[in-house]
Amino acid sequence: MNQDFAEKLSLIVHSALQKKELRGVVDVLKNVVEGVNAYGCVLWVKDPSTNVKNVSRNRSLYVFADWFDEGGGGGEPIREIPIEESANGLAITSEEVIHINDLQTDPRTFKGDYSVHSAKFTSMCIVPLKFDSDQTNATLSVYRRGEVHPFTPDEIGFIKQVARVIPSLYQSICDKVGHVLISTKSWMNPK
Amino acid sequence: MRQSRTRSDINKILDEPEVDIKSFDTIDQITLRLRKVCEKVSATFQCIETSLFLENRLEVENRYDLIATTFENWQGKKGSYLPFKEEGLTGWVLENRRPVRISNLSQFEKEKTNLRKEYEGIDWKDSFKLKPTAKKYLEIPKGSILPPLSFMAVPVTNDRKLLGMIRCCTARKSPWFFSKGQLELLKLVAVQIGRVWNDWLQNIEDNEEKKTWKNFVSNISYLNARVRESINKGSVDENTLYKQVLDLAGNSISQAESMSIKLTSGLKTHEIFPDETPNSSRMARPAINTLRSGKNSLFVHQDSSNSAVLSVSASDKNGSAPNRPANLGNSDSESSSSGGELNIPINVQNEMVGVINIQASGSKPFLPNAARIAELLGQQLGLYLSLWHSEKQQRQVFEDLWHQLKSPVGQVYARARSLLQGITYKNWHPDDLEIVNEIRTEVLRLRSVARKAKRVAVNAGVFTNLSTKGRLSLNSKAVGRLFSRDAERILTEGYKDTEILQDTYGIHFFFNGDSFKRLEEIKVRVDYDFLEQAVNCLLDNANKYSFADTAVTISGSEIIKDDKRYFYISVRNKGFRITSTEIIKLKERGYRGSDAKMVTGEGSGIGLWVVDHIMGAHGGQLEIIPTTSEGWTEMRLLFPVLLK
C-alpha cells in the first residue's frame, strides 16, 4: 500500500475514534468511497442474530450500513441480496477478496433493479470480514457506477485494510456511545 | 447497607454528586425521568421505539405496566401493560429472564428454526402482520422495501427479582442492526433502571410503612384505653369490640377491601366491608346492621357459619388479563384476579377461638407489613377477650361463692335460732335421751352446714390469693404433722357431714381407718385447714358425681412417683366417667362449674383448681386416675413423705 493510502487509512481510523454516535460507521464508509473515488460502499452482513455456519438456501445478506454519493441516486434503496446468487455471498463462502470489473456483465453478480437500473453499478471490490462474529459473515463492498473503471491493486489493498479494521472501529464507536449513554447527567437528575 | 450501595451505584452511573430518589414522591415524577432514559437510549441506538415495562408492586403484582415509551402511538396511553404470560418476544424475555436480540424481524418466520437454537421456544405470532404494520408506522409506501427491523429486549432485575423489561425496536437509519455491543449496553441500562426503580418502590413502601405503623400504634393505644375502661366498668360489648378491631384493621391496612371475624364458637361471624367500593359488590353479604365508623360506612354481619380455615394465600401469579393488540392490555377496563387474603388466628389462653379474615382488593397486593399488623391485631383481640373473659369469670366466681355462702350462713342462723328456741321453751329434762339425741342431730347438722360455709369461705380466700398473688402459701400456724387419728377425724367428719347435709341417693361412704395407721411411722406435714378443704372438695365431688346406690371408698396408702415418696389419701367413686384427656382440664378454673350447677344447683368451678393449688403448696400433687373399666374413678391427694 502506497503512502497516500496509508495516510488515508490513518485518517479514517483517527476520525472513527472521535465518533460518539453509531452513525460514525457510515462516515467510515464515506471515507472509503472518497478514498478510492468510488460511488458507494455497503457493509453487508448475514443476519447477525444467527450463528449458523452452513449457509442454507434462500438466505440473504442485509445492509448493515451504507453510504452512496448523492444519497444513492433515487429508486428503492438496496436492502438485501441473496447469498447464493451474489458476488458478496461468494466472497463470504470462499473467504476471498473478489474484484468485479463490470457488475452488469459478470455472471457472479446479483442483478437487482437498483444495482442494474437505478444505481447502474459497474466495477466492484468485495472484501469478506468477520463482523461481530467469530465466523466470516460480512463483506465490505465498494461500488463504482457508469463507466467501467476497475479498482487498482493499491485501491484493493486500501479497501482490504479498511475491512480489516472496520469491526474494531465499530466496536470502539459502540464503546464510546455506551460511555456517553451511561454517563449522561440528565438521566435521573431531578433538576 | 443495601441502600447505600445502590445510592453509590446510581451516582456513579449518573455522574452526579447527589441524586435523591426520595425526592420523587409520585409515580409521575419517576416515570418522567425514566421516559428521559428511554429517549436517551432511543437517540443513542437510533431506535424508532424504546419502551420500558415495569412491575409496580405497590399496585399490582406480576403485571408489567408501560412506564415509559418513545413510541408516539403509545404515549399518553395510561394503564397499558404487559401481562406476565404475554405471548411473543417480550413475553419470552419476561418468562426466561434472558435478553433477546433479533436482527431483522421481517425474517423471523424464515429464521425461526435457527433463532430457536439460541432462544429456546421463542415465538412471535405477530410476525405475519409485521410488514404492513411496520410500513404504516414507518410511513413507507406500499410495495416499498422495508429496512431491517431490528429488535432487542433485556429483562430489568434487581437482586434476582424480575421487575420488568426494556426493549428497543428498529433503527431509523444505518447502521440498521443492533449489535452484540448494543445489547450489552442495554443490559447495563437495565441494571441501573432496576436499581433506581427498586429504590424508588422501596422508599415509597418505607414511607407507607412508617405512616401505617404510626397510625396503627396511635389507634391501638386509643383502643387499649377504651377496652380497659370497658373492662373496669364490667360492660364490654363484644360486637362493638369486634367492630373496633376490624375498623382498626381497615384503617391500618390500606389494601384491605373486606374484613371479617369468624368465631369458632358461638355461631357468629362478624364482617366489615368498606362501604360501596367498586369491588365490594361482587361479594355476598347479608348485612343485618349498619354501623358508622370513621369515614366509612361499615356493615356488621352475622350468620351461622362458624368454620374457620387457617391459611394465607398469595396472589395468583398467573393472573393476567387477555392479550391486547400490540401486546398491550388496559387496566382501566379489566380487573385482575390477583390480590390476597390474610387469615389470622385469635387465641384466648392458648386456644384458637376464631380468625380475622382480611381480603385485599382485586388488584392491590398487601404491603409487607400487612401480615404483621394483622397478626398483632389477632393477638390484641385475643388479649382483650382473654382479659374480658377472665374478668367475667372472676366476677362470676365471687357471685357464685357469695350465693354458696349465703345459703349455709342463713341455714346456720335459722337452725341455731330454732334450736335455742326449742331448748328455751320446751319443757325437757337433761336425762331425756330422746331430746338429747335430737339436739345432737341438730348440732351435727349445724356443724355440717358451718363446715360448708367454712369451705366456701376458704375457697374465696384461696381464690383471692391466687388472683392477686398468683400463688398459694401454707399458713405456718395451721401446719403440723399428720397423724392417723387426725386424718381419721377430718375424713370421718367430712363424709359424715356430707351424708347429713346432702341428699345422697343411697351413696354409701366406706372409710378404711387401718390404711392410715402408716402415718404413725412416716412423717407427713400438712396445713390442716387446707387438708380439710381438699378432703371436703373431693368428698363433695364424689357425692355429686356418683351414681345412686353406689359406694365411695376412702383410704390411705404410700406410693413412689418420679423417685419421690408420697403418702396419699384416696377417694374412689363410681359415677360420671373421666377420660385421660379430661384430666388436665379438670384442674382448670371453671371446667365443671356448669356441670356442677346442673347437678346441685350450685358450684363455681374452682373446686379442683383450688385443690390442685393446695397440693402444689404442700409440694404434693392432685392425681386424678381416669375411670377404669370397672367404673371406678379415683382422686388422690399426694403429700410428700419427709425424711426423718
Side-chain angles (χ1 to χ4, degrees):
Chain A
M1 192 166 57
N2 67 29
Q3 186 64 28
D4 182 35
F5 282 117
E7 281 175 14
K8 283 178 181 172
L9 180 64
S10 173
L11 275 174
I12 286 174
V13 172
H14 180 74
S15 167
L17 294 177
Q18 308 299 312
K19 303 294 177 192
K20 290 182 177 177
E21 288 183 351
L22 296 174
R23 185 90 184 137
V25 73
V26 176
D27 291 338
V28 174
L29 303 186
K30 182 186 172 205
N31 290 337
V32 173
V33 170
E34 289 171 352
V36 295
N37 196 24
Y39 171 65
C41 182
V42 175
L43 180 59
W44 293 99
V45 290
K46 274 161 54 179
D47 183 343
S49 61
T50 61
N51 291 318
V52 184
K53 192 167 188 179
N54 297 326
V55 179
S56 61
R57 295 186 72 81
N58 302 322
R59 297 284 300 277
S60 298
L61 290 173
Y62 301 96
V63 174
F64 178 78
D66 57 350
W67 188 86
F68 287 98
D69 194 12
E70 298 163 356
E76 281 292 316
I78 190 165
R79 301 284 196 202
E80 177 182 348
I81 53 172
I83 289 176
E84 289 259 311
E85 300 158 23
S86 67
N88 278 286
L90 185 61
I92 289 176
T93 49
S94 67
E95 298 188 346
E96 284 182 0
V97 177
I98 293 178
H99 178 231
I100 304 285
N101 275 343
D102 186 359
L103 177 144
Q104 308 281 338
T105 56
D106 195 309
R108 293 172 297 177
T109 58
F110 174 68
K111 294 174 180 60
D113 269 1
Y114 179 79
S115 306
V116 175
H117 301 116
S118 300
K120 295 183 178 124
F121 292 148
T122 50
S123 299
M124 193 175 153
C125 177
I126 308 163
V127 182
L129 58 112
K130 292 172 182 173
F131 189 78
D132 208 14
S133 170
D134 54 0
Q135 293 159 26
T136 303
N137 67 331
T139 60
L140 183 67
S141 251
V142 186
Y143 299 87
R144 282 192 172 127
R145 66 182 300 198
E147 199 178 316
V148 174
H149 181 195
F151 290 92
T152 67
D154 275 349
E155 286 172 335
I156 293 170
F158 169 68
I159 295 166
K160 275 171 71 176
Q161 288 300 318
V162 176
R164 196 170 62 80
V165 297
I166 209 164
S168 308
L169 290 179
Y170 185 64
Q171 186 57 48
S172 166
I173 293 169
C174 282
D175 290 347
K176 195 153 278 181
V177 164
H179 179 74
V180 172
L181 176 68
I182 62 165
S183 63
T184 300
K185 291 184 177 184
S186 61
W187 264 38
M188 299 297 296
N189 190 347
K191 286 170 194 166
Chain B
M1 191 66 190
R2 187 195 59 74
Q3 272 223 333
S4 64
R5 192 188 68 220
T6 309
R7 303 261 319 122
S8 148
D9 287 344
I10 292 165
N11 290 342
K12 205 192 305 171
I13 306 155
L14 302 174
D15 195 21
E16 284 283 316
E18 186 63 37
V19 174
D20 193 1
I21 297 300
K22 287 177 185 170
S23 66
F24 300 141
D25 294 329
T26 65
I27 190 153
D28 285 345
Q29 286 173 301
I30 187 87
T31 52
L32 186 68
R33 298 299 150 189
L34 291 171
R35 167 88 188 277
K36 284 190 186 300
V37 173
C38 288
E39 282 169 0
K40 186 69 192 171
V41 170
S42 257
T44 305
F45 299 154
Q46 313 178 143
C47 309
I48 282 173
E49 180 214 329
T50 297
S51 297
L52 178 61
F53 294 86
L54 292 171
E55 177 198 43
N56 183 358
R57 63 174 185 252
L58 305 176
E59 293 294 328
V60 190
E61 285 181 320
N62 295 314
R63 199 186 74 184
Y64 301 91
D65 295 328
L66 178 65
I67 294 293
T69 183
T70 59
F71 193 46
E72 285 177 9
N73 291 42
W74 289 350
Q75 279 172 14
K77 213 174 175 183
K78 276 203 165 183
S80 302
Y81 65 87
L82 277 177
F84 180 67
K85 291 282 180 185
E86 189 257 351
E87 285 180 348
L89 306 179
T90 45
W92 190 91
V93 172
L94 288 172
E95 197 167 352
N96 292 275
R97 298 185 180 202
R98 275 184 57 202
V100 72
R101 180 174 64 103
I102 293 172
S103 298
N104 195 346
L105 288 173
S106 65
Q107 300 299 312
F108 186 87
E109 277 304 310
K110 204 165 130 187
E111 298 288 349
K112 197 156 76 177
T113 313
N114 287 327
L115 284 167
R116 283 183 172 172
K117 286 177 185 166
E118 195 165 347
Y119 307 112
E120 197 183 338
I122 199 163
D123 203 2
W124 186 43
K125 288 183 178 157
D126 282 352
S127 60
F128 294 109
K129 52 184 179 186
L130 169 75
K131 286 180 183 173
T133 316
K135 278 181 179 167
K136 189 181 149 199
Y137 286 140
L138 300 173
E139 295 174 352
I140 291 173
K142 258 189 176 176
S144 300
I145 304 167
L146 270 175
L149 302 171
S150 244
F151 174 89
M152 61 177 173
V154 173
V156 174
T157 58
N158 187 262
D159 283 346
R160 296 184 183 176
K161 172 150 178 28
L162 181 70
L163 302 179
M165 59 92 71
I166 183 167
R167 73 182 187 190
C168 297
C169 298
T170 308
R172 287 182 183 280
K173 50 193 175 184
S174 97
W176 300 100
F177 297 116
F178 296 137
S179 66
K180 277 183 194 166
Q182 284 163 270
L183 186 70
E184 292 304 316
L185 216 46
L186 191 63
K187 282 187 201 170
L188 192 60
V189 170
V191 167
Q192 309 309 344
I193 289 174
R195 287 179 180 168
V196 167
W197 183 247
N198 189 64
D199 235 31
W200 180 75
L201 287 174
Q202 190 65 50
N203 186 47
I204 297 287
E205 277 175 352
D206 288 350
N207 287 342
E208 182 78 12
E209 192 166 335
K210 273 183 211 159
K211 211 165 73 183
T212 303
W213 280 117
K214 201 175 164 190
N215 196 24
F216 178 72
V217 169
S218 147
N219 283 336
I220 212 150
S221 304
Y222 175 74
L223 185 57
N224 281 347
R226 293 277 302 272
V227 172
R228 195 172 56 232
E229 197 181 321
S230 302
I231 287 175
N232 288 343
K233 281 183 188 166
S235 61
V236 173
D237 175 1
E238 288 188 19
N239 279 344
T240 306
L241 177 62
Y242 298 141
K243 194 191 125 343
Q244 284 170 330
V245 168
L246 291 179
D247 202 8
L248 181 53
N251 285 336
S252 307
I253 301 171
S254 58
Q255 308 78 18
E257 186 191 62
S258 72
M259 295 143 283
S260 60
I261 290 175
K262 296 174 194 295
L263 302 177
T264 53
S265 63
L267 303 176
K268 275 184 186 174
T269 299
H270 298 262
E271 294 191 39
I272 285 191
F273 301 88
D275 190 21
E276 303 306 323
T277 56
N279 290 325
S280 62
S281 58
R282 64 189 163 81
M283 307 182 78
R285 48 170 210 263
I288 58 159
N289 192 7
T290 305
L291 300 172
R292 292 271 164 194
S293 176
K295 54 186 176 182
N296 289 329
S297 169
L298 303 170
F299 293 101
V300 173
H301 154 68
Q302 294 186 326
D303 66 21
S304 59
S305 162
N306 63 344
S307 64
V309 179
L310 196 64
S311 67
V312 177
S313 64
S315 58
D316 176 6
K317 288 202 184 302
N318 297 330
S320 59
N323 203 359
R324 281 299 191 91
N327 304 332
L328 289 171
N330 193 312
S331 60
D332 294 340
S333 57
E334 293 169 28
S335 63
S336 164
S337 59
S338 64
E341 183 174 343
L342 297 167
N343 283 303
I344 308 299
I346 306 163
N347 292 314
V348 175
Q349 288 161 350
N350 298 324
E351 192 180 336
M352 196 181 91
V353 298
V355 289
I356 301 178
N357 173 272
I358 301 171
Q359 292 185 25
S361 61
S363 57
K364 267 193 166 185
F366 285 116
L367 283 177
N369 64 355
R372 186 72 191 119
I373 286 177
E375 194 186 342
L376 286 173
L377 274 175
Q379 288 173 3
Q380 201 69 15
L381 181 56
L383 186 65
Y384 293 153
L385 291 175
S386 185
L387 285 171
W388 171 232
H389 290 169
S390 169
E391 175 72 17
K392 267 202 308 193
Q393 214 171 17
Q394 205 155 322
R395 283 167 191 269
Q396 187 61 49
V397 167
F398 279 118
E399 205 172 304
D400 289 345
L401 288 171
W402 162 242
H403 284 298
Q404 285 178 39
L405 200 56
K406 202 169 69 170
S407 162
V409 167
Q411 278 186 46
V412 168
Y413 176 75
R415 284 180 183 277
R417 195 162 172 267
S418 158
L419 184 61
L420 276 172
Q421 276 177 349
I423 294 169
T424 308
Y425 300 111
K426 269 191 181 175
N427 186 16
W428 66 286
H429 193 275
D431 292 336
D432 188 341
L433 283 178
E434 199 178 329
I435 293 196
V436 168
N437 275 338
E438 267 181 40
I439 292 171
R440 186 173 171 274
T441 305
E442 199 54 32
V443 170
L444 278 173
R445 281 207 182 95
L446 274 173
R447 188 186 69 181
S448 63
V449 173
R451 178 190 292 271
K452 184 182 174 187
K454 185 184 171 192
R455 184 160 56 85
V456 174
V458 172
N459 263 354
V462 170
F463 181 75
T464 309
N465 239 319
L466 287 171
S467 298
T468 53
K469 295 179 187 164
R471 62 188 173 80
L472 195 62
S473 309
L474 303 181
N475 177 4
S476 57
K477 287 180 186 167
V479 173
R481 183 176 168 183
L482 181 65
F483 290 101
S484 60
R485 62 178 183 282
D486 303 313
E488 191 171 337
R489 177 183 55 79
I490 289 168
L491 289 160
T492 312
E493 282 178 6
Y495 82 77
K496 282 191 174 162
D497 284 349
T498 307
E499 279 178 335
I500 289 168
L501 196 65
Q502 297 185 17
D503 188 352
T504 54
Y505 295 102
I507 296 164
H508 304 287
F509 287 84
F510 292 98
F511 177 69
N512 181 356
D514 288 344
S515 62
F516 289 90
K517 295 278 189 263
R518 179 78 179 132
L519 283 170
E520 302 307 314
E521 294 154 30
I522 58 173
K523 196 174 173 186
V524 173
R525 286 174 70 82
V526 296
D527 179 318
Y528 276 90
D529 289 339
F530 282 161
L531 172 65
E532 197 178 317
Q533 188 74 9
V535 162
N536 288 342
C537 178
L538 260 50
L539 292 172
D540 187 45
N541 275 353
N543 185 53
K544 259 192 255 180
Y545 299 116
S546 286
F547 296 140
D549 298 321
T550 56
V552 174
T553 68
I554 304 157
S555 61
S557 186
E558 271 184 280
I559 191 173
I560 291 175
K561 206 175 167 190
D562 301 328
D563 295 332
K564 275 181 83 176
R565 203 165 150 213
Y566 295 95
F567 180 83
Y568 68 85
I569 298 170
S570 157
V571 176
R572 294 200 312 158
N573 74 311
K574 283 189 171 184
F576 294 162
R577 296 188 72 82
I578 292 173
T579 63
S580 54
T581 52
E582 276 181 300
I583 287 171
I584 293 173
K585 293 189 172 222
L586 278 168
K587 296 179 186 176
E588 288 173 6
R589 220 170 92 182
Y591 181 65
R592 284 214 299 192
S594 51
D595 288 351
K597 277 182 189 150
M598 282 165 67
V599 175
T600 63
E602 56 182 36
S604 55
I606 63 167
L608 290 177
W609 176 71
V610 166
V611 173
D612 190 44
H613 280 282
I614 287 174
M615 295 315 294
H618 280 91
Q621 291 175 28
L622 164 64
E623 188 178 35
I624 302 170
I625 316 278
T627 310
T628 62
S629 53
E630 287 85 32
W632 285 105
T633 304
E634 185 177 1
M635 299 212 182
R636 294 173 175 176
L637 303 175
L638 272 65
F639 294 94
V641 175
L642 305 176
L643 297 171
K644 285 182 182 174

PDB file of all heavy atoms in Angstrom, chain B residues 7 78 90 276 364 532 551 579 618:
ATOM      1  N   ARG B   7     -27.270   3.618  46.203  1.00  0.00           N
ATOM      2  CA  ARG B   7     -27.129   5.054  46.000  1.00  0.00           C
ATOM      3  C   ARG B   7     -25.800   5.360  45.329  1.00  0.00           C
ATOM      4  O   ARG B   7     -25.712   6.151  44.415  1.00  0.00           O
ATOM      5  CB  ARG B   7     -27.199   5.786  47.341  1.00  0.00           C
ATOM      6  CG  ARG B   7     -28.441   5.518  48.118  1.00  0.00           C
ATOM      7  CD  ARG B   7     -29.511   6.584  48.012  1.00  0.00           C
ATOM      8  NE  ARG B   7     -28.978   7.912  48.043  1.00  0.00           N
ATOM      9  CZ  ARG B   7     -29.176   8.770  47.074  1.00  0.00           C
ATOM     10  NH1 ARG B   7     -29.853   8.403  46.016  1.00  0.00           N
ATOM     11  NH2 ARG B   7     -28.719   9.976  47.155  1.00  0.00           N
ATOM     12  N   LYS B  78     -52.341   5.722  29.167  1.00  0.00           N
ATOM     13  CA  LYS B  78     -52.198   5.305  30.564  1.00  0.00           C
ATOM     14  C   LYS B  78     -52.883   3.972  30.794  1.00  0.00           C
ATOM     15  O   LYS B  78     -53.931   3.702  30.247  1.00  0.00           O
ATOM     16  CB  LYS B  78     -52.785   6.356  31.496  1.00  0.00           C
ATOM     17  CG  LYS B  78     -51.803   7.468  31.800  1.00  0.00           C
ATOM     18  CD  LYS B  78     -52.157   8.162  33.087  1.00  0.00           C
ATOM     19  CE  LYS B  78     -50.991   9.000  33.546  1.00  0.00           C
ATOM     20  NZ  LYS B  78     -51.212   9.649  34.804  1.00  0.00           N
ATOM     21  N   THR B  90     -41.425 -10.166  23.883  1.00  0.00           N
ATOM     22  CA  THR B  90     -41.256  -9.560  25.203  1.00  0.00           C
ATOM     23  C   THR B  90     -41.680 -10.541  26.299  1.00  0.00           C
ATOM     24  O   THR B  90     -41.056 -10.599  27.359  1.00  0.00           O
ATOM     25  CB  THR B  90     -42.074  -8.265  25.320  1.00  0.00           C
ATOM     26  OG1 THR B  90     -43.361  -8.510  24.785  1.00  0.00           O
ATOM     27  CG2 THR B  90     -41.430  -7.151  24.546  1.00  0.00           C
ATOM     28  N   GLU B 276     -69.515   0.552  49.710  1.00  0.00           N
ATOM     29  CA  GLU B 276     -69.679   0.923  48.307  1.00  0.00           C
ATOM     30  C   GLU B 276     -68.392   1.076  47.514  1.00  0.00           C
ATOM     31  O   GLU B 276     -68.263   1.968  46.696  1.00  0.00           O
ATOM     32  CB  GLU B 276     -70.476   2.239  48.201  1.00  0.00           C
ATOM     33  CG  GLU B 276     -71.825   2.202  48.865  1.00  0.00           C
ATOM     34  CD  GLU B 276     -72.682   1.059  48.378  1.00  0.00           C
ATOM     35  OE1 GLU B 276     -72.626   0.733  47.195  1.00  0.00           O
ATOM     36  OE2 GLU B 276     -73.402   0.488  49.206  1.00  0.00           O
ATOM     37  N   LYS B 364     -54.746  -4.878  44.159  1.00  0.00           N
ATOM     38  CA  LYS B 364     -53.671  -4.379  45.028  1.00  0.00           C
ATOM     39  C   LYS B 364     -53.180  -5.463  45.969  1.00  0.00           C
ATOM     40  O   LYS B 364     -53.954  -6.002  46.754  1.00  0.00           O
ATOM     41  CB  LYS B 364     -54.192  -3.205  45.862  1.00  0.00           C
ATOM     42  CG  LYS B 364     -53.932  -1.863  45.220  1.00  0.00           C
ATOM     43  CD  LYS B 364     -54.176  -0.760  46.228  1.00  0.00           C
ATOM     44  CE  LYS B 364     -53.611   0.534  45.753  1.00  0.00           C
ATOM     45  NZ  LYS B 364     -53.716   1.590  46.740  1.00  0.00           N
ATOM     46  N   GLU B 532     -58.348 -30.091 105.177  1.00  0.00           N
ATOM     47  CA  GLU B 532     -59.796 -30.219 105.337  1.00  0.00           C
ATOM     48  C   GLU B 532     -60.518 -29.726 104.074  1.00  0.00           C
ATOM     49  O   GLU B 532     -61.456 -30.355 103.595  1.00  0.00           O
ATOM     50  CB  GLU B 532     -60.229 -29.391 106.547  1.00  0.00           C
ATOM     51  CG  GLU B 532     -61.600 -29.741 107.053  1.00  0.00           C
ATOM     52  CD  GLU B 532     -61.934 -28.915 108.297  1.00  0.00           C
ATOM     53  OE1 GLU B 532     -61.068 -28.765 109.172  1.00  0.00           O
ATOM     54  OE2 GLU B 532     -63.053 -28.392 108.358  1.00  0.00           O
ATOM     55  N   ALA B 551     -70.963 -46.999  96.059  1.00  0.00           N
ATOM     56  CA  ALA B 551     -70.098 -46.781  97.218  1.00  0.00           C
ATOM     57  C   ALA B 551     -69.003 -45.778  96.902  1.00  0.00           C
ATOM     58  O   ALA B 551     -68.542 -45.695  95.775  1.00  0.00           O
ATOM     59  CB  ALA B 551     -69.482 -48.106  97.625  1.00  0.00           C
ATOM     60  N   THR B 579     -62.227 -39.170  81.359  1.00  0.00           N
ATOM     61  CA  THR B 579     -61.246 -39.742  80.424  1.00  0.00           C
ATOM     62  C   THR B 579     -59.874 -39.133  80.682  1.00  0.00           C
ATOM     63  O   THR B 579     -59.759 -38.098  81.348  1.00  0.00           O
ATOM     64  CB  THR B 579     -61.649 -39.448  78.960  1.00  0.00           C
ATOM     65  OG1 THR B 579     -61.629 -38.035  78.787  1.00  0.00           O
ATOM     66  CG2 THR B 579     -63.024 -39.984  78.639  1.00  0.00           C
ATOM     67  N   HIS B 618     -48.214 -27.738  99.108  1.00  0.00           N
ATOM     68  CA  HIS B 618     -47.641 -28.753 100.005  1.00  0.00           C
ATOM     69  C   HIS B 618     -46.448 -29.466  99.382  1.00  0.00           C
ATOM     70  O   HIS B 618     -45.844 -30.328 100.039  1.00  0.00           O
ATOM     71  CB  HIS B 618     -48.711 -29.825 100.328  1.00  0.00           C
ATOM     72  CG  HIS B 618     -49.682 -29.400 101.396  1.00  0.00           C
ATOM     73  ND1 HIS B 618     -50.858 -28.760 101.113  1.00  0.00           N
ATOM     74  CD2 HIS B 618     -49.640 -29.517 102.760  1.00  0.00           C
ATOM     75  CE1 HIS B 618     -51.513 -28.501 102.235  1.00  0.00           C
ATOM     76  NE2 HIS B 618     -50.792 -28.960 103.256  1.00  0.00           N
TER      77      HIS B 618
END
